[in-house]
Structure formats: structure tokens, C-alpha cells
Amino acid sequence: MTITVLTDAQIIDPSRGIDEIGSVIIKDGIIEAAGAGAHNQGIPEGAEIIDCRDKLVIPGLVDTRVHVGEPGSEHRETIASASRAAAAGGVTSFVMMPDTTPAIDDVALVEFVLKTARDSAVVRVYPAAALTKGLAGEEMTEIGLLSAAGAVVFTDGRRTLANTAVIRRALTYARDFGALIACETQDKHLAAQGVMNAGLLASWLGLSGIPREAEIIPLERDLRLAALTRGRYHATSISVPESSDAIAAAKARGLDVSAGISINHLTLNENDIGEYRTFFKLSPPLRTEEDRRAMVEAVRDGTIDIISSAHDPQDVDTKRLPFSDAENGAIGLETLFAAALRLHHSGDVPLPRLIDALSTSPAKRYGLDAGTLKVGARADLAIVDLYEPFVFSKDRIVSTSKNTPFEDARFQGRVLQTFVAGATVFKAD
């Protein structure tokens, strides 16, 4: 029997609505007590004691949008390396996108992800399954069989479905299994030639722009189909206030819809592109500062449910190119929480709401056994110093790929230790 006690910590657990000073008692990987009341339960004989005075203890983060190169592009990232990067960022569970080579569109590939994760990952990895075979956007996959095999969500990853009949059938079919359909919302025709946000800055830089309508039009279409079918729908990454307005209106009508946003779009804007810095080339593109401020407010008021890292490793061959030619995407697992704390330190988003969007809310929406410190839950959690400053230099990067928009960024707040089932999977130097 192993017992670990985290003492005198500030404990934030949005699943129970608590923010209080207390202790966490972990017995054989399970939370036995967590909160102010645990102070009075004493410390069992032989327990490992970790002094968490002036530290924060939170449920492990749950990242719902993580691209991994395995299978097919292991030189960019493997499930094992992604899991180590996740642990370094306080992420104890992540959902792996299906746009690999081959795409995860059958039961054998879902089982491959689960087995590889079981054999090599230090955090929990949940496979997303392709919504259409080969991500081609036409023939629907076997949602029932894939759900039974362990797929937790259905999505075509980076690709936005163009065929409205397929989306309608998928939402209808998935409803019978209680499955969640998650979609990117970028119109491929409106966004085809664009490489950054459309506007004055794009004109100055001589780059073609992606209009906000490229996101709004597919999203509004999807929301209408969600209303028609009464299916469960999640917009994976929105970036403009018109999108959050549409999500808010859909929720007000009682639809089972939700929205996510990447931490990049909450902490960066189009001006960060600077002198054609390709690490800031993302999809959707970074928007204006006014847009960013509006999206932060949408997180604060709960219109946007989930914050993800949008972890998308790229190697030098695809990223060290002229801006127009470089691939979209950036790594983000290990900077997710540190970047999110900028919203706390600026006073824009209360800490409990921030933890909720990073942990409890994604776990609940995706039906995962995570995102809580309640008694009886698995002890997946992190210890955080809210105020420790550090510079995220390139030599600190755990991911196999190094394309981060936060290279040499100054952060305040650091994950000190990450636990999965009560075992330490990351400890800061």
C-alpha cells in the first residue's frame, strides 16, 4: 500500500466548486480525501509527505486537441514523446487526433493507439476516430464499432467537412450512441489562398488573408445541422467573436453544442507574426487584438467551454520555409498551462474558471474519467507554483519537434510535479 499526502496546498477543484487551503491524501493511486476537511484526518503512518505550502494543487489538465505523428510521421512526434511533453505541462490526459498516416478510421487502428499508449505513454491517451473513411469527407466510419473499441470522439481533424449531407448523417447516427462529433470550421475555398488573418497587417506584409467568414459560415451551417438532428456537436477551435456569438445563441436555444479554442488564440495576436515568423502560422490564423480580447471574455463567461493546446508538431523541413509555404501548426502541450496563467495574472479569467476550461469541462464534455479531485477518483493531478518565473528556452522543449510560438517567452507560473494514478510522471528540476 502506498500513501502520499500533499499538505497545506491551495486546492482548486471545479468539479466540486472548491478553492480552499487543505490537503490531498492519495492511497494506492486513488484520492482518499481532498480539501480543507482532509486536514483533520491525520497523516497515515508511512505516508510520503509533500509540503505544498504556497503551491496550487489542481486536477490534471485534459487536452482535447493533440496531433501526434504516430503512426506515419514518428520523426515529428510519437505517442511516447507527446506523453512526456504533456506530463511536463501538467496534462494527464489528452485526446489524440486521427489525422495520422494511415488515418485512424477502423477498429484496428484505435486498438493500435490504445496499445501503444498503454506500452509507452506516461499519461492517459484517448484516441479520436476519423468521422469519414480516410478523412476523405464522403463515407462515414463505423461510429458504433469505433466507440466500442475506445474512440471518445469523431472528427476529421484538421479537415473541415464540406459535404453537409455527411455531417447531417453523422450527427444523426452518432446521437444513437451518445457520441460527440467535433469539427474544424474553416471553409476550404475561402481559406484556400490565405496564410494569415485578412486585414491591414496582411496587406502591409504582402500576404494573402483568410477572412473571418471562412470560419463563421461553416460553423453556422454546422449549428443548424445540430439543431436539425439534435446531435452532440463540438466546434474544436474558434477564433472570432461572431463564432462565440453563434455558439451562445445555439446554447440559448437548448442545443447540445460546445466550443473550444487554442491557448494561442487567447494569448497571441496577428502582430506576433512580426517579420514573417512561421512559428506563428496557425490554423485558424491568429486574429486581431480586439478579437483576442473578445475570445478571452467568451472563455471567462463560459461561452467557450474548453481551452486546448492545439499541439501540432512540425519539423524544420515543413516549418523553416517562407511564410506562405510553411505548414500551419505549433507544439503546445508543455506550455499550455503556463500560457493560460497569463489570463489569470492579467485578471481577465478567474483561476477556477481557467482550471475548469483546461480540465474539468473537457473531461465532462468528452466523457473522460478525469478532471476532478473528488474522493474515489484516480489521482491524476498537478502541483503548481503560480508565481515562479521562467523562460521557455529551446533547450527546455520536451517534444520531438521544436516549433513553438513561445520560444524564449517569459512565463510566471510553472508546473512542479505531475501525477498519474498517484505516481510521479514529471518533476521539475
Side-chain angles (χ1 to χ4, degrees):
M1 182 173 66
T2 60
I3 301 177
T4 304
V5 182
L6 315 181
T7 60
D8 298 314
Q10 179 187 356
I11 300 170
I12 295 182
D13 181 5
S15 73
R16 295 182 295 154
I18 68 168
D19 179 358
E20 59 195 24
I21 303 298
S23 298
V24 178
I25 301 175
I26 304 167
K27 182 178 178 182
D28 291 336
I30 302 296
I31 293 175
E32 189 145 287
H39 264 325
N40 303 322
Q41 296 190 14
I43 297 178
E45 186 176 348
E48 178 190 10
I49 301 170
I50 300 176
D51 184 359
C52 293
R53 190 179 304 274
D54 299 326
K55 305 295 187 300
L56 182 68
V57 173
I58 59 173
L61 307 190
V62 178
D63 194 343
T64 57
R65 188 182 172 212
V66 175
H67 299 274
V68 176
E70 188 175 8
S73 298
E74 287 83 354
H75 63 287
R76 289 170 40 211
E77 196 83 281
T78 63
I79 291 172
S81 65
S83 77
R84 291 192 295 273
V91 176
T92 55
S93 301
F94 69 75
V95 177
M96 177 177 149
M97 293 291 100
D99 37 8
T100 50
T101 308
I104 300 168
D105 61 0
D106 66 26
V107 168
L109 285 160
V110 170
E111 291 175 343
F112 165 80
V113 172
L114 290 171
K115 181 181 185 306
T116 305
R118 190 165 55 245
D119 292 345
S120 64
V122 299
V123 304
R124 305 185 195 283
V125 179
Y126 296 94
L131 186 55
T132 63
K133 292 185 178 178
L135 305 174
E138 294 298 331
E139 187 179 357
M140 210 169 63
T141 54
E142 295 285 351
I143 290 177
L145 293 176
L146 290 164
S147 291
V152 299
V153 65
F154 294 83
T155 175
D156 271 5
R158 301 178 183 84
R159 302 187 185 186
T160 300
L161 280 166
N163 190 326
T164 51
V166 170
I167 302 173
R168 179 184 180 181
R169 282 199 300 272
L171 283 164
T172 303
Y173 192 63
R175 185 187 60 203
D176 294 336
F177 298 96
L180 180 67
I181 301 298
C183 294
E184 286 283 303
T185 52
Q186 288 289 309
D187 184 279
K188 67 177 183 180
H189 300 292
L190 286 174
Q193 304 303 319
V195 296
M196 66 171 293
N197 182 47
L200 191 57
L201 182 61
S203 299
W204 285 346
L205 293 174
L207 298 173
S208 53
I210 300 173
R212 55 214 306 114
E213 286 76 13
E215 173 178 304
I216 300 163
I217 292 170
L219 175 64
E220 292 189 335
R221 175 205 63 183
D222 289 358
L223 293 175
R224 286 180 178 274
L225 292 171
L228 176 67
T229 61
R230 311 305 289 184
R232 299 183 66 224
Y233 175 82
H234 177 69
T236 57
S237 188
I238 62 174
S239 65
V240 294
E242 291 89 341
S243 295
S244 60
D245 291 345
I247 291 290
K251 288 181 176 180
R253 296 200 301 274
L255 303 185
D256 189 358
V257 302
S258 56
I261 188 169
S262 88
I263 190 60
N264 303 315
H265 292 83
L266 296 171
T267 56
L268 305 170
N269 65 37
E270 61 177 355
N271 296 308
D272 288 298
I273 291 171
E275 296 295 323
Y276 306 97
R277 299 164 69 189
T278 58
F279 285 3
F280 294 84
K281 187 180 180 187
L282 307 170
S283 180
L286 294 173
R287 301 294 185 177
T288 67
E289 174 61 10
E290 291 74 20
D291 291 332
R292 187 194 72 81
R293 295 289 311 169
M295 303 313 275
V296 170
E297 174 59 24
V299 168
R300 191 197 63 77
D301 69 19
T303 300
I304 295 176
D305 308 83
I306 293 169
I307 302 172
S308 74
S309 72
H311 182 81
D312 192 359
Q314 302 291 334
D315 61 23
V316 293
D317 291 338
T318 55
K319 210 62 179 173
R320 299 284 189 185
L321 295 170
F323 196 90
S324 296
D325 299 330
E327 287 289 338
N328 292 314
I331 62 170
L333 276 164
E334 54 207 285
T335 52
L336 172 61
F337 191 62
L341 282 179
R342 289 179 171 179
L343 306 178
H344 160 66
H345 291 307
S346 65
D348 289 323
V349 182
L351 200 50
R353 171 61 194 132
L354 202 56
I355 306 303
D356 178 49
L358 290 162
S359 178
T360 304
S361 182
K364 184 177 180 182
R365 184 60 174 161
Y366 279 63
L368 309 182
D369 183 11
T372 181
L373 298 176
K374 68 182 179 184
V375 174
R378 297 183 304 204
D380 296 353
L381 51 89
I383 302 173
V384 177
D385 185 327
L386 277 178
Y387 300 102
E388 180 176 331
F390 73 99
V391 176
F392 189 66
S393 56
K394 186 176 179 180
D395 58 7
R396 298 181 67 114
I397 297 175
V398 176
S399 293
T400 301
S401 295
K402 311 300 179 186
N403 55 305
T404 170
F406 295 110
E407 185 175 311
D408 293 329
R410 290 171 169 76
F411 289 125
Q412 184 180 6
R414 186 181 181 195
V415 174
L416 301 178
Q417 195 164 351
T418 305
F419 297 83
V420 171
T424 298
V425 293
F426 169 78
K427 191 171 185 179
D429 297 334

